[in-house]
Amino acid sequence: MTWFNPPPADPQAWMATLANVGQQWARRAPPPVWLQHDLLNRVLLLANHVLGQHPAACKRLQRHQQKTVALHAESVALYLRISNAGLLQPLAMGHTPEAADLVLRMPSTPWGETLQRWQEGLPPDVEVTGDVMLAAEIGWLREHVRWDIEEDVARLLGDVPAAALGRLVRGLEQAVRGWRQRQAAQGGVT
């Protein structure tokens, strides 16, 4: 039957479409404040775990202790404070500072575009206002701090399974990168 001719499978296009659908849903029905706060707590647990693996990062943030950072994306606003230990802590639910020391605002670009930039290794578009030195430290963190997932897996499963899993993931990443390059050379996916 020739009347049904689906487009070729393009994982990147599907992800961008799903991201844009999620963005439209979030605009129509923003998550409740309690859910935003709970998600922030979970993200900060992971961020502090990663910061804890990099003592130099905590030292850099200690210079900015008790400063506040506001994150704005669409209709969601999240506020956090830098602790004396150089870690991140959420402000109390419903508490918004009069003026945050640093404001990071993501413009209303389609989430699919932002996802594509992230997949290409480019930073997302972010409007930054406020404390220049704190903004520079956040930029340094973005460039230099990485989560060593293999080390965490090794603590749970042991060194050998963690190394094998790491090789598998790197192999998959290399295969996807090669596929994308071949598609780009043929005028397909970029």
Side-chain angles (χ1 to χ4, degrees), residues 8-147:
D10 178 2
Q12 203 169 19
W14 281 100
M15 290 300 289
T17 301
L18 287 174
N20 289 335
V21 167
Q23 182 180 26
Q24 293 301 318
W25 178 72
R27 284 181 179 163
R28 289 190 185 117
V33 174
W34 65 266
L35 180 59
Q36 293 176 30
H37 198 266
D38 191 50
L39 290 173
L40 176 64
N41 282 335
R42 292 176 193 285
V43 168
L44 290 181
L45 278 172
L46 176 61
N48 285 333
H49 171 73
V50 173
L51 285 171
Q53 293 177 337
H54 298 84
C58 290
K59 276 193 182 295
R60 293 178 82 107
L61 284 178
Q62 280 177 333
R63 298 180 213 156
H64 302 281
Q65 58 191 354
Q66 301 307 313
K67 289 187 179 178
T68 56
V69 178
L71 308 168
H72 296 281
E74 297 286 334
S75 60
V76 177
L78 304 171
Y79 301 93
L80 54 100
R81 174 172 281 125
I82 299 170
S83 74
N84 295 341
L87 299 174
L88 306 173
Q89 54 188 185
L91 292 181
M93 193 162 83
H95 176 75
T96 57
E98 288 182 23
D101 296 298
L102 180 66
V103 178
L104 305 172
R105 187 179 312 277
M106 292 190 68
S108 294
T109 48
W111 289 0
E113 247 179 68
T114 303
L115 179 65
Q116 185 174 3
R117 288 181 60 83
W118 177 72
Q119 288 173 337
E120 293 171 359
L122 300 171
D125 291 328
V126 178
E127 179 186 314
V128 180
T129 55
D131 187 333
V132 175
M133 296 303 291
L134 180 54
E137 296 294 1
I138 299 294
W140 184 90
L141 292 174
R142 187 181 60 77
E143 292 292 323
H144 295 91
V145 174
R146 295 289 178 264
W147 182 17

Side-chain angles (χ1 to χ4, degrees), residues 161-177:
L165 187 60
R167 281 191 306 274
L168 174 69
V169 169
R170 284 188 293 278
L172 286 172
E173 181 183 24
Q174 187 176 15
V176 169
R177 190 176 298 125

